[in-house]
Amino acid sequence: MTITVELTRFRVAADRAQALLDARPAMLTDFTADRAGFLGARLIRLSDDEWLDIVDWRSPEDFAASRAKGANLPGIAAFFAAIDELVSMEEGRQET
């Protein structure tokens, strides 16, 4: 089985980190309800202002469809609004 993995690195001002964390549960709820193939996500704090979001998808097509939807729901929009700068976004595969 192969899982598509989204690796998104971004910056959030230190004084907005709590807003990001507060928005996370609603974002995950919206992803679960609205994004076919969403399997789960882990948010990693790398430094005071840099974060890594690791999101698992059933397929590359599911990941692409999610990206096309953007911040279409309030929980997703609130999470994205806390992000100051996108550093990188990559797609990989986890093969089991």
Side-chain angles (χ1 to χ4, degrees), residues 22-39:
D22 290 347
R24 185 69 170 185
M27 181 271 237
L28 293 174
T29 296
D30 284 354
F31 261 53
T32 299
D34 186 60
R35 308 294 167 112
F38 172 69
L39 302 175

Side-chain angles (χ1 to χ4, degrees), residues 1-3 11 17 30 33 41 43-44 47-49 53 56 58 62 64-65 71 78 88-89:
M1 174 182 201
T2 301
I3 294 172
R11 288 194 177 93
D30 284 354
L43 184 62
I44 312 297
S47 67
D48 284 345
D49 70 342
D53 205 356
D56 295 329
R58 181 179 50 210
D62 291 329
S88 66
M89 181 185 294

Side-chain angles (χ1 to χ4, degrees), residues 54-70:
I54 304 168
V55 184
D56 295 329
W57 298 96
R58 181 179 50 210
S59 70
E61 294 79 18
D62 291 329
F63 175 41
S66 174
R67 285 188 0 184
K69 285 186 175 188

